[in-house]
Amino acid sequence: MHFGLRYCNTGRYVDGAKAVELVQAAEEAGFESAWTVEHTVVPAGHASAYPYSPDGRMAGSVYDFPLPDPLIWMTYVAARTTSIKLGTGILILPQHSPVITAKQVATLDVMSGGRVLLGIGVGWLKEEFEAIGASFSDRARRTDEYVAVLRALWAEERPSFTGEFIRFDGAYCRPQPVNGTVPIHVGGHSPAAARRAGRLGDGFFPARGNPVELVAMARDAATAAGRDPESLEITLSCPENLSDLASLKKLGVRRVLVPVNSTPGMVAAARNPEGVLAWRSRIEEFA
């Protein structure tokens, strides 16, 4: 089982020096990865319901918090680290051009020595899509197609693609990722996200909900798609009760993510470099 940190481009870690200090400590402690999160804009007073809280509001309806672009944040800390992997948890894929995203992610992967993990999701904030000028109603279909575009540009010598939204013919996109591709982890706590992960993903990260049920859905979807369900890398948020880690390992969970910003008293938190280093023994126990 691997351990990662989430969500590292928030709170005090929007400061470059503090971000580097955090991720360097994580690397020293044996953390496998550091994960970011994305919102480009959060329109105040949005009507869209946030799916991760009972009241449908995000961050207590306080929306003026700084949230750096995840890929730029990852690039900054990649330059000051050597081995820790850097992931998006998640990048809202249908808000981006998949061709430009393929170039950006591959560039970072090459320059970091193959350390990028791309977590993707379909998004939920309609008003954000509208502000960006992205299409909301067909975002699920776009996500599926954009995944195919990314993989074609990363892996094929001179790919051509004809889809519903994206078309190109004999397109060179260099550099290509170190290992021929970048792992794509599908995030989301819904049955639709679980099925998408099983059909298309290299991994699945259900941020909330019943992980046992959602993981089973993802693996069933992989089997139905003719894929090996055991090859699907499962990532979960670290449980507040650390004794539950053993049961997660038995479930086949490959990675748990420890929060770096959380409420006081939360057992699993790693709020500063000292707290991160204190996880060394736990990481060694479950490695």
Side-chain angles (χ1 to χ4, degrees):
M1 180 183 284
H2 296 302
F3 286 79
L5 292 178
R6 67 167 178 91
Y7 297 108
C8 298
N9 61 331
T10 60
R12 75 190 73 178
Y13 303 114
V14 304
D15 176 271
K18 290 183 173 62
V20 168
E21 185 181 19
L22 173 79
V23 182
Q24 286 179 340
E27 194 169 68
E28 180 182 346
F31 278 90
E32 175 251 9
S33 52
W35 294 71
T36 57
V37 67
E38 179 183 49
H39 277 293
T40 301
V41 294
V42 181
H46 62 81
S48 300
Y50 180 56
Y52 298 115
S53 69
D55 63 1
R57 311 308 294 170
M58 182 174 65
S61 298
V62 177
Y63 300 138
D64 60 350
F65 55 87
L67 186 62
D69 178 272
L71 295 180
I72 293 177
W73 190 96
M74 289 160 58
T75 301
Y76 188 89
V77 300
R80 299 289 300 277
T81 54
T82 58
S83 61
I84 192 167
K85 295 181 180 179
L86 301 164
T88 55
I90 48 81
L91 188 83
I92 307 170
L93 187 58
Q95 292 182 354
H96 297 263
S97 160
V99 178
I100 294 174
T101 300
K103 170 70 78 172
Q104 292 172 327
V105 171
T107 299
L108 176 54
D109 188 73
V110 168
M111 297 188 76
S112 67
R115 291 193 277 147
V116 178
L117 304 168
L118 185 65
I120 60 136
V122 301
W124 59 273
L125 184 51
K126 181 179 180 181
E127 293 84 351
E128 181 180 26
F129 279 75
E130 292 170 345
I132 291 170
S135 178
F136 184 77
S137 61
D138 55 10
R139 67 195 188 281
R141 298 202 315 277
R142 286 182 181 271
T143 297
D144 290 358
E145 183 170 309
Y146 288 8
V147 168
V149 170
L150 293 173
R151 287 186 169 139
L153 290 170
W154 287 339
E156 297 177 24
E157 177 66 21
R158 194 179 67 177
S160 296
F161 192 94
T162 302
E164 181 180 0
F165 309 106
I166 303 296
R167 296 173 180 81
F168 50 81
D169 183 35
Y172 291 102
C173 189
R174 300 291 190 275
Q176 291 177 302
V178 170
N179 297 308
T181 191
V182 170
I184 295 177
H185 295 254
V186 176
H189 72 295
S190 67
R195 290 191 292 268
R196 176 171 290 106
R199 286 188 291 107
L200 303 175
D202 299 300
F204 179 40
F205 174 30
R208 306 289 171 89
N210 183 330
V212 175
E213 180 179 333
L214 289 170
V215 168
M217 286 183 184
R219 288 174 173 160
D220 287 346
T223 299
R227 308 177 73 205
D228 177 8
E230 297 306 315
S231 69
L232 190 66
E233 190 171 73
I234 305 300
T235 299
L236 296 180
S237 296
C238 188
E240 292 193 33
N241 186 346
L242 297 183
S243 64
D244 291 338
L245 287 170
S247 61
L248 292 182
K249 188 172 184 178
K250 290 180 181 179
L251 180 63
V253 173
R254 305 274 186 89
R255 179 186 297 106
V256 294
L257 302 185
V258 179
V260 299
N261 292 293
S262 58
T263 58
M266 188 173 180
V267 175
R271 298 183 187 85
N272 50 47
E274 292 75 20
V276 168
L277 290 169
W279 272 81
R280 191 193 309 266
S281 60
R282 183 68 63 176
I283 291 170
E284 292 172 350
E285 177 184 351
F286 283 90

